[in-house]
Amino acid sequence: MRHPALLVLVAAAAVLAGGALGAPSVPEARGTAVVARVTVPGATAAATEELTAPPAGQLSGPFSYPEDGSALRIGASNVSVAAQPGTSASAQSAIELLVVSLFGGEITAESVSLRATAAAGVAGATADAAASTITGLVVLGQPVVPEPGASIALADWGTLEVLTRQTSVGDEEDRRAEATVLGLRVVLGAEHGGLPAGSEIAVGSASALAAAVPTPAAAPVQPRPKPIVKPKPPPPRKGPREPGASIPGAPPELVREAPEVNARLTQGGYVFPLFGPAAFGDSFGAFRADVAGQWHHGEDLVAPVGTPVLAVSDGTVFSVGWNDLGGWRLWLRDPSGNEFYYAHLSAYSPLAVDGTRVTAGDVLGFVGDSGDAEGGVPHLHFEIHPVELLSLGYDGVVAPYPFLVAWRRAEDVRFAAGRRYVPGDSVRGLAPPAGAFLLEADDISRTSGLIPGGLGKAVSVQRQATRG
């Protein structure tokens, strides 16, 4: 059985539950996650490795304390963190735990799912930990509804704290946000289960901090004249009007020979859009200060610069060229009329020409950080525009996450079932809470990234599709 690495913690280490940090001296973005920590008076504390971003990372494995698991046993854990500082800073941490047992089954939980996100930009800041959940919680033989912030008495030997969440958001002068969440925390008031009074066991801690680069005061300057660009004949088809100015065409120096790849196709003929390792979460609808509506219209797939970008289906390439926000980008339309947007490329393949018909799995370009991603973490920004929503223009999108997960497994998901962004007053108009998070990037088919109940829903949808 593989265990996450144990760390020796010094006395000055931060308390697992965390709290609002002091104002940072420099702009930053940070995501942290810890699966478990056990503190015993007069002894060295033990914990799983603290995963911190940047850079983005993932960890997985079971955990037991002590070796026989008599005080704490976690059947499986998957952790991911990501953070990107800058003018628009963002961070997220996600933890998924399965089959949690404390003190030989006196406290059990089927699953613990924690997520903390924070974002800050020129228009403001947001922080959220509300998507965190616990299912199947049983305390001293009694089922318990895991109300956030609840404190439960454990007979005469201790207390149990459930889903302790904290968020803080700065004002216009201090554009920063932080979110923390702690899944379960047991504090012993008397000796129990071989541990002395005063011992603490914390299960699952995630935090996210984002502080935007301040906008310096500057003297008025004369606007620079726009460069004179000789217009090219427009292609027969353009994508929805994107935010920012666009210039058609790919310079010859950005065209690279495409490597041969062997991509896995679904039965419906779709392919995961990257060939090679990639990490992604579910940030659809998250705050973005510099795009239409100030919300994230797609998903960011973090991968090394130069990773091949693939056509997700048979179709026609169009709108190849530069966009102020998307950088070097292109669009692809499949035979059904569904459209897909690829942005922040570093280069194109020879197939990236308006009007070119391509086959699913063909290399269209390469991952980069062009456009407003310059200087940040290299990634592919990917959007799905179903044919039924094209009348909504650039806002006619659905959340890419479930499709990316399915395509990585060579499975199909109907676009009609995709989650759309619905504006509203709650949480500043953010999209509904994510249904799942990426927990491993090397082989997602071995990862359980679904929230509790999600697997049943997915199976139900698949059965309905089969019967239909």
Side-chain angles (χ1 to χ4, degrees):
M1 179 178 294
R2 184 164 60 92
H3 295 261
L6 288 177
L7 299 181
V8 176
L9 305 180
V10 298
V15 176
L16 181 63
L21 299 180
S25 58
V26 295
E28 62 178 320
R30 184 172 66 253
T32 60
V34 178
V35 170
R37 180 175 291 148
V38 181
T39 305
V40 179
T44 301
T48 59
E49 179 179 349
E50 180 178 79
L51 190 61
T52 303
Q58 300 87 31
L59 284 175
S60 63
F63 177 74
S64 297
Y65 181 87
E67 288 295 328
D68 62 1
S70 57
L72 172 62
R73 184 183 300 277
I74 299 174
S77 66
N78 289 284
V79 185
S80 66
V81 293
Q84 179 172 330
T87 304
S88 294
S90 63
Q92 64 178 14
S93 301
I95 297 177
E96 291 286 342
L97 308 178
L98 299 177
V99 191
V100 178
S101 176
L102 291 94
F103 300 112
E106 289 185 294
I107 303 171
T108 61
E110 294 177 3
S111 67
V112 177
S113 177
L114 307 178
R115 188 186 188 195
T117 61
V122 294
T126 61
D128 185 26
S132 302
T133 59
I134 297 176
T135 62
L137 180 62
V138 178
V139 179
L140 302 181
Q142 298 297 319
V144 174
V145 177
E147 294 290 342
S151 180
I152 302 170
L154 301 173
D156 58 354
W157 49 269
T159 58
L160 170 66
E161 299 170 6
V162 179
L163 286 177
T164 304
R165 303 187 304 211
Q166 293 183 352
T167 58
S168 63
V169 178
D171 55 24
E172 294 182 358
E173 299 298 325
D174 181 21
R175 290 174 293 119
R176 62 190 302 275
E178 182 176 11
T180 64
V181 58
L182 173 64
L184 298 170
R185 179 168 176 256
V186 173
V187 179
L188 295 185
E191 186 279 334
H192 189 75
L195 299 181
S199 298
E200 295 185 9
I201 300 177
V203 179
S205 173
S207 67
L209 169 68
V213 174
T215 303
V221 295
Q222 295 296 326
R224 295 181 180 179
K226 294 183 179 180
I228 300 176
V229 180
K230 184 178 180 180
K232 295 183 179 181
R237 163 68 182 172
K238 291 184 177 180
R241 183 176 178 82
E242 309 157 42
S246 299
I247 301 175
E253 62 269 23
L254 288 182
V255 178
R256 291 172 41 189
E257 182 178 353
E260 293 187 6
V261 302
N262 184 18
R264 299 174 61 198
L265 276 71
T266 70
Q267 290 186 351
Y270 288 92
V271 171
F272 189 74
L274 291 182
F275 185 78
F280 60 95
D282 187 0
S283 61
F284 178 78
F287 177 80
R288 293 292 188 271
D290 53 357
V291 299
Q294 296 188 338
W295 57 277
H296 201 208
H297 285 58
E299 194 55 71
D300 293 335
L301 291 80
V302 178
V305 172
T307 298
V309 174
L310 309 183
V312 296
S313 72
D314 296 347
T316 304
V317 176
F318 63 99
S319 290
V320 178
W322 174 264
N323 176 268
D324 285 349
L325 300 181
W328 297 111
R329 56 85 168 98
L330 58 80
W331 288 76
L332 174 69
R333 182 183 303 103
D334 71 13
S336 299
N338 304 301
E339 297 180 351
F340 309 90
Y341 177 65
Y342 302 72
H344 306 314
L345 305 181
S346 62
Y348 294 102
S349 82
L351 294 176
V353 178
D354 288 354
T356 299
R357 293 193 60 81
V358 296
T359 301
D362 284 346
V363 177
L364 302 180
F366 304 89
V367 168
D369 63 350
S370 58
D372 67 350
E374 183 176 0
V377 178
H379 66 277
L380 170 68
H381 174 83
F382 180 73
E383 298 176 8
I384 298 176
H385 294 249
V387 63
E388 295 85 358
L389 303 182
L390 295 186
S391 63
L392 300 179
Y394 189 68
D395 288 344
V397 293
V398 295
Y401 182 86
F403 304 94
L404 294 171
V405 172
W407 294 344
R408 191 79 175 222
R409 295 171 173 166
E411 298 172 355
D412 286 306
V413 178
R414 293 180 299 171
F415 291 116
R419 189 180 83 243
R420 292 176 53 189
Y421 177 80
V422 180
D425 295 331
S426 62
V427 198
R428 299 190 181 183
L430 296 182
F437 313 102
L438 176 75
L439 301 174
E440 290 186 19
D442 55 345
D443 183 1
I444 198 168
S445 64
R446 295 188 287 105
T447 299
S448 175
L450 299 173
I451 62 168
L455 181 59
K457 293 179 182 178
V459 173
S460 175
V461 171
Q462 184 63 34
R463 288 175 176 171
Q464 293 175 7
T466 303
R467 294 171 181 172

